[in-house]
Amino acid sequence: MYVRQALDQTAYESARIGVVSGTTQDQVISRASTLLQAYGVSFASINVVPETFDETTREVTVTITSSFSENSWIPQTFVTGDEMVATVTLDHENQAFLVPADAANDDVLQDNDEPLDE
């Protein structure tokens, strides 16, 4: 359970870093690597989507895959299933400032000064 929690928490905290404007994929991977090392989890692969963050980025997904047997002191004979995967997807911060393309044609949206989500 400890390894599972470490993967889940690392995926969340890394995705949270990725949704901040100006962050890069390398920074997200670096944060995930640092957290995994602190938890004592080795032999994990980290995947971040998208590869490049810009003003059109809608969401950030972090997936961490790790082998349970390589990160546990419990003999593998007592464990079923070896691969663990944690995935977290969060909306990027710039989503709050996107305005629908047809906002100018909508009487209600046209008069709204607040940022709109799609």
Side-chain angles (χ1 to χ4, degrees):
M1 289 181 69
Y2 176 80
V3 176
R4 173 87 237 164
Q5 176 62 25
L7 295 181
D8 290 341
Q9 190 65 31
T10 298
Y12 173 77
E13 289 187 31
S14 300
R16 185 64 195 107
I17 295 293
V19 299
V20 176
S21 294
T23 304
T24 65
Q25 184 187 48
D26 289 340
Q27 290 172 313
V28 175
I29 292 171
S30 175
R31 177 68 173 160
S33 297
T34 300
L35 289 170
L36 289 171
Q37 183 179 9
Y39 283 122
V41 175
S42 33
F43 307 108
S45 67
I46 303 162
N47 184 35
V48 179
V49 175
E51 290 183 19
T52 305
F53 305 143
D54 59 24
E55 65 279 350
T56 63
T57 301
R58 301 176 72 76
E59 58 188 24
V60 175
T61 300
V62 176
T63 302
I64 302 174
T65 306
S66 183
S67 168
F68 180 79
S69 62
E70 293 179 352
N71 291 293
S72 177
W73 58 91
I74 299 173
Q76 191 173 8
T77 55
F78 296 107
V79 180
T80 59
D82 187 42
E83 185 175 84
M84 294 183 295
V85 179
T87 301
V88 173
T89 300
L90 298 175
D91 286 339
H92 197 276
E93 279 186 350
N94 64 22
Q95 278 298 100
F97 298 102
L98 297 177
V99 177
D102 63 347
N105 300 332
D106 188 317
D107 292 335
V108 174
L109 296 178
Q110 189 175 16
D111 296 329
N112 187 355
D113 293 332
E114 297 296 320
L116 303 171
D117 290 340
E118 282 190 54

